[in-house]
Each structure stands twice: as structure tokens, then as C-alpha cells.
Amino acid sequence: MVVAGLLFGAMGVCVKFAAEHNDSGEIVLWRCMVALLVISGMMMLRRQSPGTQHLKSHAFRSISGFSALFLYFYAMTQLPLATAVTLNYTSPIFFVIWQILLRGVRPNRLAWIALLLGFCGVALLLRPSIDGDNLFGAILGLISGGLAGLAYFHIKQLGALGEPEWRTVFYFSLLSVLGALTWVGWHGFHWPDPADLIWLVGAGLFATGAQLALTRAYRRGKTVFSNALAYTTVIFASVFGWIFFGERIDTLGWAAIGLIILSGVIASRVRLRPDEHRA
């Protein structure tokens, strides 16, 4: 999981550099196209079939995941890298909210604590001292966290249906490439210059490696421990943001990040059951 955090942080650096001459749709296209090529190659070597009886569920997961990724990359271009990553990592908090809304579960005391801490952290991170331009990017970054939480909800549903992780990644990458192609076709495609191509392909390779490391961490390690270590991405992002972009986060910003991380770790420990008394 620490390796995944390092690679996700490196992906963020590539995204910010690539965003100087490419919009979010083009970056998503290259990131997901690289992932699609890698996962397709692995499937061919292992002779695994993409056939599924749950295409509708994959579509829901892919649409929410693609939208989250698109907004996440845009937020990276508008905010300090650590801030954008932290807002996207509100997904465990939103995961709890989606379970309450879509599964009709009853929140327990731990869930309320996680939601309260998360709300305080987000409010502090979006405090009025952020200027108007950054505020728009921050709101989109927060929405990306909500959509990522929805994507994780669908991933959990696919797991309950018996779908393997590689097939879920395959359909997410495939449908995201189609979505990004639609965006690029609408706005006009331009072939990146060699320097930008390095950043675009790098984002895809780092993201794919991070996904593989993350999958192995959840498969081999304890889930709660893995969830906590997932936030090392914020640490790596803050270090990379300082080294490559000279970004600084003030004391209140770090306090907000700490609250969001704490709420996310608590949210990952929440176990909710359907409310049998709810209509």
C-alpha cells in the first residue's frame, strides 16, 4: 500500500505537468488507454475472458469512476497537489453516505463520528480564505471524492456478484477510454509533443502500477491497516508538490487534511447493516 501511495503521488506529478498543454479529458484518455493495454495484455497471457453477465453493474461503476477521475485530474490543475488528493480521498466518507442512501442502512455511532469529522475537515479545507478560482476547483475535487465513493460502492456490489478485480478494472478502463474519446472528439484531438507524451504515458503507467499494488495490498493484508496506509498518498503528494511545484500548505490546511484522514480511517472501520425497519 505504501508503494501504491508513492505511485499515485508520482501520477499526480505527471498529471500536473501534462495539464500545461492538455485538458483533463486528454489526460484521462492516455491514463486509461495505458491501463487498458496493460490489463488486456495480462488477460491474454492468462487466457482470461472479459465475458460477463453484469455489464449494467460495470457500466454504473465505470460512469461514476470516469466522472470522478475526470474531476480529480481537473482539481489537480487548480489546487496544490496534496489538497486535490485529500479532497478525492474523502471517498471513504462518501462511501458510508452512499450505503445509507442506496442500501437503506442505519448509521451507527462510529459512522456519525466519521461523518462529523469529515464535514469539519472539508469545511476547514474550503474555508473562506481560499480565493474564488481555487474554490471552484476545490468543490469539483470534493465532488470527485463523492463520485469515487459511489464507484467503490459499485465495486463492492460487483465483488458480491463474484466479479474478479481484473475484469472490473478492464471494463472501467475500456468504458473510460470510450468516454474520454467522446470528450476529445467533441473538443478536438491534438497529438502531444514528445515531452507531454512522456508525462501522459507516465501517468498511465504509474496509475496502473499503483492499482496493482493496491489490489495486492487489500488481498494480502488487513483491510483496516491497508485503508490507513492508503493515505500515504497525501504525504507523498505534499512532498512532491513542494519539490516540483513549490507548493506550501498552511497550518489550518494541515489540520483539515488531518481531520479528513482521521475520518476516512474511521469510516473504513464502519460496518453497516441494512435497516430492516425502513420501507
Side-chain angles (χ1 to χ4, degrees):
M1 186 58 79
V2 174
V3 171
L6 174 64
L7 294 177
F8 276 132
M11 180 202 74
V13 173
C14 292
V15 168
K16 285 186 78 74
F17 277 121
E20 293 182 8
H21 304 110
N22 304 271
D23 65 25
S24 298
E26 292 172 322
I27 300 173
V28 171
L29 174 61
W30 284 93
R31 178 255 186 259
C32 293
M33 190 162 54
V34 171
L36 180 61
L37 291 173
V38 172
I39 195 68
S40 297
M42 293 173 60
M43 289 168 59
M44 291 177 63
L45 290 174
R46 298 175 181 176
R47 297 182 179 180
Q48 295 168 323
S49 171
T52 179
Q53 297 179 344
H54 308 292
L55 191 57
K56 184 177 179 180
S57 297
H58 281 291
F60 282 128
R61 179 268 182 269
S62 299
I63 291 171
S64 55
F66 168 74
S67 303
L69 190 63
F70 187 95
L71 296 179
Y72 180 34
F73 283 1
Y74 179 80
M76 282 187 183
T77 68
Q78 304 297 311
L79 301 169
L81 189 56
T83 302
V85 169
T86 303
L87 288 171
N88 183 259
Y89 271 59
T90 57
S91 52
I93 306 167
F94 283 105
F95 178 76
V96 173
I97 295 175
W98 288 119
Q99 288 195 88
I100 295 171
L101 295 177
L102 299 180
R103 290 186 61 214
V105 299
R106 178 183 297 175
N108 54 29
R109 183 178 300 177
L110 197 61
W112 284 118
I113 292 174
L115 294 176
L116 179 61
L117 288 175
F119 174 79
C120 292
V122 169
L124 193 59
L125 201 61
L126 302 182
R127 63 194 185 279
S129 62
I130 297 180
D131 61 58
D133 294 335
N134 285 346
L135 182 59
F136 179 71
I139 291 174
L140 292 185
L142 183 62
I143 294 174
S144 80
L147 291 171
L150 181 59
Y152 294 146
F153 175 84
H154 289 304
I155 290 173
K156 186 176 178 64
Q157 297 294 98
L158 285 165
L161 292 171
E163 287 290 84
E165 293 127 348
W166 56 265
R167 189 177 292 156
T168 300
V169 173
F170 169 78
Y171 278 106
F172 166 66
S173 301
L174 175 62
L175 295 177
S176 294
V177 166
L178 294 176
L181 280 173
T182 302
W183 172 271
V184 170
W186 181 33
H187 285 265
F189 176 80
H190 80 278
W191 187 262
D193 60 39
D196 284 338
L197 189 60
I198 292 174
W199 297 121
L200 291 166
V201 174
L205 291 175
F206 283 131
T208 304
Q211 287 289 344
L212 293 173
L214 180 145
T215 300
R216 174 164 292 192
Y218 278 114
R219 183 181 298 168
R220 301 285 183 90
K222 294 181 179 180
T223 301
V224 173
F225 191 53
S226 295
N227 284 334
L229 287 177
Y231 285 94
T232 56
T233 302
V234 177
I235 298 173
F236 287 118
S238 63
V239 172
F240 290 155
W242 171 60
I243 293 175
F244 293 103
F245 309 107
E247 297 172 346
R248 296 289 191 275
I249 299 176
D250 60 22
T251 303
L252 285 178
W254 280 116
I257 289 173
L259 282 175
I260 292 173
I261 291 176
L262 179 60
S263 66
V265 173
I266 293 175
S268 68
R269 298 179 63 92
V270 172
R271 297 294 180 267
L272 300 176
R273 296 179 179 179
D275 187 354
E276 298 177 354
H277 302 288
R278 183 170 174 174

